[in-house]
């Protein structure tokens, strides 16, 4: 079977997280013929975790990890930097859902955080790792009701939280925009591109990382063969960790079941000491909107603020100049609503990043074909679900057993989508309706 890789990672704007880092050392693109025991496609959170876990469990195996761009440049380095431990269902108005499924998601998310914490501490990865929890903020009446429902769900799960009134929210954020809030303590905040780059720089010795190496074709067989611009990799076992880009692989049952949906972020210039004094509040916090289609905000100790909102359905897995222009305008409006005292502060970077989601929240985790394993489709929880999916797919491929692996294997599979153009019409109209419904939460 031959799988054509028509859609490859593009520039998708200027990601502030990545561009603020020092230039990386030169890449090592693949050249010529490479043979390995394992090949992992995609060096995001899932691919990095899969390659690392394979190397830990099989120190004598040769593992090839390949990515079309530089580590940290792709979607794994483009999110808002929340390692969320609690339920975070983007299809729900308050992030929670079925109690048993929520409890399982908590176990998976915390398993990811525990695994990542150990790596970050052992290798002293400089990624602004902060175990300070996250805020939820509400503006409109429906947002306040969603927060109340979320709090009720957390109480039912036995999870701690703290309710915040408008003045307490102002004391933390410096803005009087939020009427109500809630703090949960288990979330970890990171600089996502720094984290991902640090993971790539500290891989075990038996992992060979090939960057700037787009895979043009995959020929499944015994062994599998990945064809690149200047060579090829052959290996008997393949792990797919290319997330939204796997949506094009119809021969493996992925096409028509997972969706590439883009979201967008902007980062301000560094605020002056006078502007920081005018803003007030705490110097470092992260806030998730009460409505999943609202605006995520992060303030960093470096003196910058990140705004994240806007969703588009991009089946070609690329953000156009028009998408970025529209996102920047939306970010500007959202920023000025929240921080009118900072009206002269410009947004220095704007970028897009691809989420991989399914309509029912299912995931194609497991063995898709002989020797082909999938760790794609994180449904909006890339930092935690990508990490745990990568770790567990390596263990599954090696015959390991665990409670967390059982949970992953028992997750629902993605349901089939309607054909185009009905799919595109439906997804785009649903996104537009949900964004409109979010109101000033956005």
């Amino acid at each position: 079977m031959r799988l054509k890789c028509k859609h490859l990672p593009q520039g998708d704007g200027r990601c502030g997280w990545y561009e603020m880092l020092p230039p990386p050392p030169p890449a090592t693109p693949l050249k010529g013929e490479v043979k390995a025991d394992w090949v992992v496609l995609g060096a995001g959170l899932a691919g990095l975790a899969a390659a690392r876990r394979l190397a830990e469990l099989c120190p004598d195996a040769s593992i090839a990890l390949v990515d079309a761009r530089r580590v940290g440049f792709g979607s794994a380095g483009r999110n808002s930097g929340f390692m969320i431990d609690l339920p975070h269902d983007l299809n729900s108005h308050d992030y929670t859902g079925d109690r048993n499924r929520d409890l399982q998601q908590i176990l998976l998310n915390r398993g990811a955080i525990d695994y990542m914490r150990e790596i970050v501490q052992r290798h002293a990865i400089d990624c602004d790792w902060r175990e300070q929890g996250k805020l939820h903020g509400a503006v409109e009446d429906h947002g306040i009701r969603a927060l109340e429902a979320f709090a009720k769900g957390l109480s039912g799960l036995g999870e701690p939280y703290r309710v915040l009134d408008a003045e307490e929210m102002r004391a933390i954020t410096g803005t009087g925009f939020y009427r109500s809030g809630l703090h949960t303590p288990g979330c970890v905040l990171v600089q996502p591109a720094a984290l991902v780059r640090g993971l790539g720089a500290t891989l075990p010795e038996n992992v060979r990382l090939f960057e700037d190496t787009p895979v043009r074709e995959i020929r499944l067989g015994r062994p599998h063969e990945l064809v690149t611009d200047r060579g090829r990799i052959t290996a008997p076992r393949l792990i797919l960790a290319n997330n939204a880009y796997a949506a094009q692989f119809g021969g493996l049952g992925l096409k028509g079941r997972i969706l590439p949906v883009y979201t967008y972020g902007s980062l301000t210039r560094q605020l002056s000491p006078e502007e920081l004094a005018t803003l007030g509040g705490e110097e470092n916090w992260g806030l998730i909107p009460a409505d999943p289609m609202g605006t995520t905000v992060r303030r960093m100790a470096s003196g910058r603020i990140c705004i994240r909102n806007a969703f588009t359905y991009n089946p070609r897995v690329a953000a156009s100049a028009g998408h970025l222009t529209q996102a920047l305008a939306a970010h500007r409006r959202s920023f000025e609503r929240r921080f009118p005292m900072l009206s002269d502060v410009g947004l220095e970077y704007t970028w897009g990043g691809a989420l991989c989601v399914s309509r029912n929240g299912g995931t194609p985790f497991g063995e898709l074909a002989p020797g082909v394993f999938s760790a794609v489709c994180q449904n909006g929880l890339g930092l935690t679900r990508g990490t745990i999916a990568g770790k567990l797919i390596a263990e599954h491929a090696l015959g390991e057993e665990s409670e967390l692996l059982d949970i992953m294997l028992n997750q629902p599979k993605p349901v089939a989508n309607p054909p185009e153009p009905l799919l595109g019409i439906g997804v785009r109209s649903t996104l537009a309706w949900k964004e409109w419904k979010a109101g000033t939460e956005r």
Side-chain angles (χ1 to χ4, degrees):
M1 183 189 302
R2 295 190 176 190
L3 306 175
K4 294 289 186 179
C5 302
K6 297 179 181 178
H7 305 312
L8 297 168
Q10 305 298 313
D12 295 333
R14 298 176 63 223
C15 177
W17 301 121
Y18 188 85
E19 296 207 15
M20 288 190 302
L21 296 176
T28 303
L30 183 141
K31 298 178 182 178
E33 304 282 336
V34 172
K35 294 184 178 180
D37 297 312
W38 297 84
V39 58
V40 180
L41 177 59
L45 271 303
L48 289 162
R52 184 181 296 271
R53 191 59 176 151
L54 287 173
E56 291 171 345
L57 295 175
C58 301
D60 295 328
S62 59
I63 301 151
L65 175 60
V66 58
D67 198 278
R69 304 298 292 259
R70 301 303 306 270
V71 170
F73 183 86
S75 294
R78 291 171 175 261
N79 57 75
S80 300
F82 291 74
M83 293 200 75
I84 295 174
D85 64 322
L86 295 172
H88 192 74
D89 183 356
L90 295 180
N91 290 318
S92 168
H93 79 287
D94 61 4
Y95 299 105
T96 57
D98 175 78
R99 183 176 187 275
N100 287 335
R101 188 170 177 179
D102 286 346
L103 289 170
Q104 291 178 347
Q105 189 174 91
I106 290 170
L107 287 175
L108 291 171
N109 293 347
R110 289 180 177 161
I113 291 172
D114 290 343
Y115 186 58
M116 189 66 74
R117 180 190 297 110
E118 192 277 330
I119 296 169
V120 168
Q121 292 178 350
R122 173 157 43 98
H123 295 286
I125 295 175
D126 184 8
C127 61
D128 199 23
W129 179 277
R130 293 176 182 264
E131 302 203 19
Q132 64 186 66
K134 69 181 187 305
L135 299 170
H136 289 247
V139 187
E140 296 194 3
D141 289 345
H142 81 270
I144 292 173
R145 290 193 296 270
L147 274 192
E148 291 170 348
F150 183 53
K152 183 178 180 180
L154 293 179
S155 295
L157 295 168
E159 291 294 330
Y161 62 89
R162 181 165 63 99
V163 175
L164 304 167
D165 62 23
E167 285 305 311
E168 290 171 311
M169 289 293 287
R170 181 194 288 271
I172 295 171
T173 65
T175 173
F177 181 75
Y178 298 100
R179 293 171 55 198
S180 178
L182 187 147
H183 177 265
T184 62
C187 178
V188 178
L189 300 178
V190 298
Q191 206 281 38
L195 172 65
V196 178
R197 187 186 287 185
L199 294 172
T202 58
L203 288 166
E205 292 184 358
N206 56 327
V207 178
R208 297 179 66 186
L209 172 62
F210 299 103
E211 298 175 279
D212 286 340
T213 302
V215 173
R216 302 293 180 179
E217 183 180 47
I218 301 174
R219 300 169 184 169
L220 300 182
R222 296 183 179 276
H224 309 302
E225 184 177 304
L226 278 64
V227 180
T228 73
D229 289 338
R230 290 186 281 179
R232 67 190 65 209
I233 306 173
T234 56
R237 286 156 295 190
L238 164 65
I239 291 179
L240 297 176
N242 55 339
N243 219 28
Y245 299 93
Q248 60 195 299
F249 294 158
L252 294 173
L254 299 177
K255 189 174 182 179
R257 292 183 180 271
I258 56 179
L259 299 167
V261 174
Y262 264 65
T263 188
Y264 300 85
S266 285
L267 198 62
T268 68
R269 63 163 170 80
Q270 191 164 340
L271 275 63
S272 69
E274 293 76 20
E275 289 166 337
L276 291 171
T278 298
L279 172 60
E282 297 180 3
E283 70 171 15
N284 197 300
W285 47 267
L287 182 146
I288 287 177
D291 188 304
M293 301 301 285
T295 297
T296 297
V297 186
R298 277 195 65 185
R299 177 179 168 185
M300 278 70 69
S302 63
R304 293 177 184 262
I305 295 174
C306 179
I307 296 288
R308 198 282 303 152
N309 65 33
F311 292 86
T312 58
Y313 170 55
N314 299 357
R316 301 182 69 84
V317 202
S320 68
H323 288 138
L324 294 167
T325 298
Q326 292 172 4
L328 175 58
H331 296 165
R332 185 75 244 170
R333 289 192 298 270
S334 298
F335 181 82
E336 290 179 354
R337 286 193 194 113
R338 287 156 179 79
F339 307 107
M341 74 292 287
L342 301 176
S343 58
D344 293 333
V345 174
L347 298 176
E348 186 173 354
Y349 302 100
T350 298
W351 64 92
L355 304 177
C356 184
V357 301
S358 63
R359 291 192 302 124
N360 66 332
T363 177
F365 179 90
E367 189 169 12
L368 303 181
V372 181
F373 301 87
S374 165
V376 306
C377 194
Q378 318 309 339
N379 284 295
L381 271 175
L383 277 171
T384 48
R385 286 299 291 270
T387 297
I388 201 64
K391 177 179 183 290
L392 293 177
I393 200 64
E395 295 174 3
H396 177 55
L398 291 169
E400 300 282 320
E401 296 182 352
S402 69
E403 179 186 9
L404 293 184
L405 183 53
D406 287 342
I407 292 173
M408 282 296 293
L409 290 170
N410 288 323
Q411 297 282 301
K413 301 302 181 185
V415 295
N417 298 322
E420 296 286 8
L422 295 177
L423 176 62
I425 294 170
V427 173
R428 292 185 178 101
S429 61
T430 298
L431 289 174
W433 176 75
K434 287 187 173 183
E435 288 187 325
W436 175 83
K437 190 178 177 183
T440 52
E441 301 291 346
R442 186 169 178 238

